[in-house]
Amino acid sequence: MGGDDAPGVPIAAARAVAGEVDVLLVGDPAALAGTGLDVVAADQVIDMGEDPALGVRAKPGASIAVAIDLLARGLVGAVVSAGSTGATLAAALLGLGRVPGVRRPVVAPVLPVGHGVVLVDAGASPDVQPEALVAHARLGGAYAAARGRVSPSVGLLNVGAEPGKGNSLARAAHALLSALPGFAGNVEPAAVLAGAVDVVVTDGFTGNVFLKTVEAMAAGGATGPGGVAGGVAGGRGEVHGGALLLGVDGVVVVAHGAAGEAELAAAIATAAVAARGDVVARLHALL
Amino acid sequence: MSTRVSAEEVLDLLVDGIRRVMGLDDGDLGLAGRPATAWRGVRFDEDLHADSLDLVEVIEGVERALRRRGVEVRVADVDLVRLRAVGDAADAIAGSAA
């Protein structure tokens, strides 16, 4: 069981959603004893400094590997992790496989602005080639469609709206994305937070910085020009209820390592909604 | 049932795995029309831009495929991080057969 405040916060979050979602905790049985919740024992831990893929390979008894195995065997409907995103990605990809046609899964939170803006990628792949952003757009568009948006619009996160703006990655990606149906061009952060598009694509490094900046501003009650962060939420926990790991063949939600009880409970709810709504099957059909 | 496997058989499985995991075809690497042995010198880092997750996914895919055929293989983790080229991986997997 990962997360900065494990096992206390995960236990509290699981209790908070009891009655709405059946939650099974995976981790050190001694630490989880007496909670009254169902527990599956996992006695290994993948350290934050460890290579995620090698860690998952070397430690099949790690909680994330055990949890993913339960999902792969159909014993649970979804997995939520506040542990290392890299380890979660590795365990999910190795244990579940991918939706056909997906090269590398992405972290896809839904920003609570407009009809909900899907951010792709918020941290799975920091270094990507321009072609990957086209794949991000297709995945994000399919997810938005699965969430009910008709012909979702896709924007490329950039420092200006004009086609020539940005670094070499953004300019090359813009040229490739221009052939994609629904592409609405470059979007600046303020436009994203105004709900100008249904999907915003970027590399995992930029997306992670963008998300954390918005969250930090919202948590501090700060507002940027035009009340940017104020338009999102009043606190970090309200910015998003975890992020779906989009492209793996199962419902996996990643939450902040520092997630509090409410935030982790929201992530569990996100996972339950995705599982009950058959989001992965819809992605299969849409991609 | 044989418990051994040749490096050439492993190479075929590796090439299939690399194509699937990394979304590549022979044309991407200038290998169109050439035999699988042409892949032996292809480097994971410099040529394929593969990261550790790509590498582990490819290797574990081949290990699973061989186990389904009754061939027990597992590259030691310490050896896995030293693999530089596809041919190294074929030799390491074939050499690990129990």
Side-chain angles (χ1 to χ4, degrees):
Chain A
M1 175 173 293
D4 298 352
D5 300 310
V9 164
I11 291 169
R15 284 181 171 148
V17 299
E20 300 168 39
V21 183
D22 291 328
V23 179
L24 190 157
L25 299 173
V26 181
D28 178 1
L32 299 173
T35 62
L37 298 162
D38 291 332
V39 172
V40 171
D43 56 6
Q44 290 182 299
V45 174
I46 297 173
D47 300 319
M48 291 301 275
E50 199 168 354
D51 180 279
L54 296 171
V56 168
R57 177 175 168 85
K59 296 176 177 175
S63 54
I64 186 60
V66 172
I68 291 292
D69 183 59
L70 293 172
L71 179 56
R73 290 192 284 143
L75 300 176
V76 297
V79 168
V80 177
S81 174
S84 155
T85 299
T88 304
L89 169 64
L93 198 51
L94 296 170
L96 300 171
R98 66 192 72 208
V99 174
V102 174
R103 159 80 180 92
R104 181 57 66 87
V106 293
V107 174
V110 178
L111 306 176
V113 291
H115 296 282
V117 176
V118 178
L119 170 63
V120 182
D121 167 27
S125 299
D127 299 302
V128 297
Q129 300 297 312
E131 292 76 9
L133 298 194
V134 179
H136 288 11
R138 289 204 175 96
L139 263 176
Y143 183 30
R147 287 171 42 81
R149 297 298 294 160
V150 177
S151 302
S153 58
V154 177
L156 173 65
L157 187 63
N158 209 327
V159 295
E162 301 82 358
K165 288 285 187 179
N167 58 11
S168 57
L169 173 65
R171 291 193 301 274
H174 187 285
L176 296 173
L177 285 165
S178 293
L180 197 75
F183 182 55
N186 291 328
V187 287
E188 294 190 53
V192 173
L193 297 180
V197 290
D198 298 310
V199 178
V200 60
V201 297
T202 187
D203 62 272
F205 174 78
T206 306
N208 195 274
V209 171
F210 171 71
L211 183 63
K212 285 178 174 168
T213 302
V214 172
E215 289 172 338
M217 290 182 73
T223 55
V228 170
V232 174
R236 188 194 67 212
E238 298 170 58
V239 170
H240 67 87
L244 206 62
L245 196 51
L246 214 56
V248 295
D249 204 3
V251 176
V252 179
V253 169
V254 294
H256 260 289
E261 177 187 329
E263 192 174 7
L264 201 50
I268 296 169
T270 295
V273 168
R276 289 168 180 157
D278 250 344
V279 163
V280 174
R282 292 185 186 192
L283 288 176
H284 273 271
L286 289 165
L287 287 169
Chain B
M1 187 175 291
S2 171
T3 58
R4 310 299 298 180
V5 62
S6 71
E8 287 67 32
E9 291 173 90
V10 175
L11 189 62
D12 287 338
L13 293 171
L14 272 171
V15 172
D16 286 347
I18 290 166
R19 287 176 176 143
R20 177 181 53 81
V21 169
M22 307 202 64
L24 293 173
D25 58 36
D26 292 354
D28 293 326
L29 297 167
L31 297 174
R34 300 186 63 190
T37 50
W39 282 74
R40 285 196 66 89
V42 173
R43 297 164 297 180
F44 288 108
D45 187 3
E46 295 90 337
D47 300 323
L48 296 174
H49 308 292
D51 60 18
S52 62
L53 181 51
D54 293 321
L55 185 60
V56 170
E57 191 178 1
V58 168
I59 298 294
E60 290 201 347
V62 173
E63 290 173 340
R64 275 196 299 272
L66 288 170
R67 281 192 206 109
R68 284 195 293 271
R69 289 162 45 176
V71 181
E72 277 301 320
V73 291
R74 181 176 170 90
V75 178
D77 295 342
V78 67
D79 294 331
L80 194 148
V81 299
R82 293 184 187 138
L83 299 176
R84 293 288 170 265
V86 176
D88 300 338
D91 295 338
I93 294 172
S96 73

